[in-house]
Amino acid sequence: MRRKLTHVRAEGQERQLQHRLERRFGRRLVALSEQVILLLIFLVIGMFMETVAIILILTPIFHPVAVGAGIDPVLVGVVVTTQVAIGSATPPFGCDIFTAIAIFRRPYLDIIRGTPPFIIILLVAAVIAVPTFQALRLGAVEFLSKPVTVKQLTTAVLRLTGHSEPRM
């Protein structure tokens, strides 16, 4: 009984802290910080564990947390996949590094010297992908929630491709 009360008390304190942060910084900033924490956790763990093991072990743990925080489950999947891929190519124990050593028969340090540009590119892509994915998702939901005629769809496609009017 006492254990249950302390659990409820801790849960209440966590909610109070989250509400104070939301009032002070806004819900979007709190959600963004939760996404950054998720990014960092999977990146760091990806440096030390194999990709499939990470996904099988940690996704059931972090999925309910992310959904409870208001993060889209599909976005969680995209983030987990990209961060695990980046982590597997990052020193010191990235699985991709050891695969490259075996394939190219080069020393560890030679392989490591070539990874920073790729890791930087992947990290920039991951940082850009999160807000882009959310914007695309919201745009798709807004677009798909309205009925669209064939003529409207054709006109939109022609405008995107540089043509002005449909030829009918």
Side-chain angles (χ1 to χ4, degrees):
M1 180 75 175
R2 186 176 182 138
R3 177 187 271 171
K4 190 174 186 178
L5 286 175
T6 54
H7 177 68
V8 170
R9 217 178 285 146
E11 198 172 283
Q13 290 173 345
E14 183 179 317
R15 282 191 196 133
Q16 286 176 346
L17 176 64
Q18 186 170 3
H19 288 300
R20 281 190 299 202
L21 288 172
E22 286 175 6
R23 277 195 309 256
R24 188 166 193 171
F25 300 110
R27 177 70 188 132
R28 287 182 182 226
L29 187 61
V30 173
L32 182 64
S33 67
E34 291 167 349
Q35 291 173 5
V36 170
I37 290 169
L38 187 71
L39 284 168
L40 292 175
I41 288 172
F42 276 96
L43 176 68
V44 170
I45 293 173
M47 293 179 193
F48 299 101
M49 286 179 63
E50 202 272 323
T51 306
V52 176
I54 295 170
I55 292 173
L56 289 176
I57 294 170
L58 294 180
T59 301
I61 296 170
F62 283 103
H63 180 265
V65 173
V67 170
I71 303 172
D72 182 27
V74 178
L75 177 64
V76 173
V78 170
V79 166
V80 167
T81 305
T82 56
Q83 292 309 106
V84 169
I86 295 169
S88 68
T90 306
F93 301 113
C95 296
D96 293 348
I97 294 171
F98 294 108
T99 304
I101 290 170
I103 291 173
F104 299 118
R105 293 187 172 90
R106 305 288 300 183
Y108 180 79
L109 291 176
D110 286 351
I111 300 294
I112 295 294
R113 283 189 201 114
T115 58
F118 295 105
I119 293 170
I120 291 169
I121 291 169
L122 289 170
L123 287 173
V124 168
V127 168
I128 292 172
V130 171
T132 304
F133 178 81
Q134 289 176 330
L136 287 174
R137 184 183 165 274
L138 291 174
V141 167
E142 187 177 311
F143 178 74
L144 294 174
S145 64
K146 301 175 192 172
V148 179
T149 64
V150 173
K151 184 177 180 181
Q152 290 172 327
L153 188 61
T154 306
T155 305
V157 169
L158 289 173
R159 283 185 189 155
L160 286 173
T161 57
H163 297 85
S164 57
E165 290 289 322
R167 299 176 199 155
M168 292 186 185

